[in-house]
Amino acid sequence: MELVTREIGRLAGEALRAAQAAGSAPPFDLPPLEAKASKRIEQGDYSIALMPLAKLARSAPLALAQAAAAHFPARAMIARVEAAAPGYLNVWLSDTWLNALVDQIDAEGEALFRLDLGAGRRAQVEFVSANPTAPLHIGRSRGAIVGDTMARLLEAAGYAVQREYYFNNAGAQMRALGNSLRIRYLEALGMPVELTEADRATFYQGDYLKTFAEQLAAEVGSAWTDYDYQPFKQYAEKQMFEMIRATLARVDIHHDVFFNENSLYDSGAIWTVLKRLEDAGYVYRSARPQVADEGGADEDADGKGEATWFRSSAFGDSKDRVMVKSSGEPTYTLPDIAYHVDKLERGFEIAVNVLGADHYTQYQVVQHGLKALGYDAGRVHVILVQLVALLRGGEIVRMSSRKGNFETLDDLIDQTSPDAVRYNLLARSSDTHLNFDLDLAVKQSNENPVYYIQYAHVRCAGILREAAARGVTAAGADLSLLGEAERRFLRRVLELGDVIETSVTLYEPHRIAFYALELANVFHPIFDTVRVLSVDVPDDLARARLRFFGAAQVVFRRVLRLMGMTAPDVM
């Protein structure tokens, strides 16, 4: 289905060009015109503001609107066009055309408003990207939902999308995990264990490690009692990834690629990138940075000797950044740049990163690195995700993965539902803090938006099921019998394509959650008043309304699936 806003904007441009040809509008280069859904009924269904054209045309915007209205092309979708002060072109849609949308909705089905914005283009969305040290908790889960919904919307916009999970199975965190499992394994065998101060500081206390240790003890007995942390790390990593994949699958998230940061070291990619930056003149070696801000040198500078620096300040950064410490150990900056080089070299026109808000500076440094290497850094986009607070009884539940007293995504799913988790973690802009209210999430009432939105689909399914039981069909329905109430819903349906396009263009997937609730708010009063199977409803009108509710079911199913939620037939 074509975007109505785009078509009306195109027709308005055609009208102004016709007015120019007729001499009723001055000659000037006409930019693309943007139509927007009107907020007031007296302003039509859509309006186009021509005031920005006044300077270009050297003409009063109202005169331009009047000229455009007089030359507006006749189309089946358009009922009338009027000019309004100070320079608006207001457009009303035809009732007949709106009613006929029911047929188009039925025909498109699951592909409703699949756009051509990304046709022939590839996009990648990298999200979750948690190191396999603990079960996914609520904080990380928000990025999972935001990322997967972004991927779904990109697909709806026509992109070929790859979902990627980036992780590091080396470093201090993974060593601590391996050592923690080693200790739990010895405990599972009944052996005494004395923790050092270092052990206590880095020990992962979650019960999941006790479970892994018991499994391991059953598999290998006492054969590993003298091993260091390495085999335990490998075992814990394997078990953790199985757990993470299973958890994500519960909320219908499935990654296509799991990318190991270590592969950048194994292939030598990080050193290749470093040399390219050095050859381009953006690397130097010094004990101190050439450019530092008021906060001093990069926090990764250890001050113990000569480090390798990226001249990030050349691209607007407040200071230069350490790429390799004096010890020879790379900082996060070098592999992060190398990873994004790898992404772009794989041919993605768009690479979306879903990151915690505390990673914004690092994202900017990566952008600088890509520019220094000659890449189009504008192909990489970031969605920043703010913190989540879990509320129970109005009180915040404290979370810590190391101490084990956190709410995992599995816990939340068990206490609510996959759909409640997906909607509630999506329902606010990701750059704002979010309170996940457990009490609200489990309510079976209209104040719970998850229930309210899904109930719209349930009501559609119910009326179709009841009609089938009574032998009533929509065959031969005369859609011209549909009334203004039904058209009010259909007008809102037309906005879905714009929501998809705007969500993708601005990288704001929460917009689909806002739209879903607005659509349900329009639908439920209509369902309450537009009867189908009442004795006072004529058969021909009942058939038309049955077709309408069938189309409404298609729309709600489409919207729910764009959010990764189920579309239940009963509740």
Side-chain angles (χ1 to χ4, degrees), residues 16-38:
L16 273 174
R17 281 187 287 272
Q20 289 175 325
S24 54
F28 65 96
D29 291 333
L30 186 64
L33 299 178
E34 182 181 10
K36 293 184 177 180
S38 301

Side-chain angles (χ1 to χ4, degrees), residues 128-437:
V128 185
S129 297
N131 289 339
T133 57
L136 293 177
H137 61 83
I138 184 64
R140 185 71 69 169
S141 302
R142 187 181 190 187
I145 303 306
V146 168
D148 186 64
T149 307
M150 188 72 247
R152 290 170 184 267
L153 290 165
L154 283 164
E155 288 170 336
Y159 287 90
V161 179
Q162 183 184 89
R163 294 163 172 82
E164 185 151 307
Y165 187 121
Y166 179 67
F167 70 97
N168 183 355
N169 64 350
Q173 285 186 337
M174 293 301 292
R175 286 195 297 272
L177 179 69
N179 192 49
S180 299
L181 179 58
R182 182 185 64 82
I183 292 168
R184 290 299 192 195
Y185 164 74
L186 295 175
E187 288 177 346
L189 293 175
M191 299 178 66
V193 181
E194 290 189 15
L195 298 182
T196 66
E197 281 300 317
D199 289 337
R200 290 191 181 93
T202 61
F203 188 64
Y204 284 90
Q205 301 176 28
D207 287 343
Y208 60 96
L209 282 182
K210 293 181 182 179
T211 302
F212 292 171
E214 291 167 0
Q215 293 173 351
L216 180 59
E219 292 172 16
V220 302
S222 60
W224 287 22
T225 54
D226 295 327
Y227 288 1
D228 66 7
Y229 76 91
Q230 286 280 8
F232 294 96
K233 178 188 81 73
Q234 294 169 3
Y235 185 88
E237 178 187 344
K238 179 177 180 294
Q239 296 298 318
M240 280 308 316
F241 265 128
E242 288 181 2
M243 179 182 290
I244 288 170
R245 283 191 177 96
T247 298
L248 291 172
R250 295 184 70 188
V251 286
D252 201 14
I253 293 177
H254 308 274
H255 286 86
D256 303 303
V257 173
F258 284 78
F259 191 104
N260 189 341
E261 180 186 333
N262 281 344
S263 66
L264 299 170
Y265 291 82
D266 295 340
S267 68
I270 62 165
W271 307 118
T272 299
V273 164
L274 182 63
K275 186 175 187 309
R276 289 176 61 188
L277 287 170
E278 187 169 15
D279 291 344
Y282 294 110
V283 168
Y284 62 91
R285 290 169 179 80
S286 173
R288 299 180 61 81
Q290 295 176 359
V291 178
D293 61 16
E294 294 179 358
D298 187 351
E299 57 271 17
D300 287 321
D302 52 25
K304 296 179 180 178
E306 187 179 77
T308 302
W309 298 82
F310 170 44
R311 208 181 302 276
S312 187
S313 59
F315 299 92
D317 199 351
S318 61
K319 58 186 174 183
D320 294 338
R321 304 285 173 170
V322 176
M323 301 197 80
V324 183
K325 298 178 183 179
S326 60
S327 64
E329 179 186 0
T331 66
Y332 285 117
T333 299
L334 182 53
D336 280 356
I337 294 174
Y339 175 47
H340 286 82
V341 167
D342 182 272
K343 287 184 181 185
L344 298 185
E345 291 288 353
R346 280 186 269 163
F348 295 110
E349 281 87 357
I350 289 176
V352 181
N353 298 344
V354 181
L355 303 172
D358 57 335
H359 288 265
Y360 181 63
T361 298
Q362 186 64 14
Y363 159 72
Q364 289 180 308
V365 175
V366 168
Q367 292 271 51
H368 301 330
L370 292 174
K371 290 176 185 176
L373 292 167
Y375 292 98
D376 177 8
R379 289 160 60 188
V380 179
H381 305 270
V382 66
I383 299 175
L384 295 176
V385 178
Q386 286 285 359
L387 297 174
V388 176
L390 182 65
L391 302 182
R392 182 183 287 112
E395 298 292 327
I396 294 178
V397 178
R398 302 295 175 185
M399 295 179 284
S400 169
S401 59
R402 184 159 287 160
K403 293 183 178 179
N405 60 350
F406 57 89
E407 292 285 348
T408 68
L409 177 54
D410 279 316
D411 290 335
L412 285 179
I413 295 170
D414 292 340
Q415 294 170 37
T416 58
S417 70
D419 293 330
V421 170
R422 287 206 65 130
Y423 185 85
N424 283 286
L425 291 179
L426 183 67
R428 294 196 67 184
S429 174
S430 63
D431 61 0
T432 61
H433 290 274
L434 185 148
N435 291 332
F436 189 109
D437 190 335

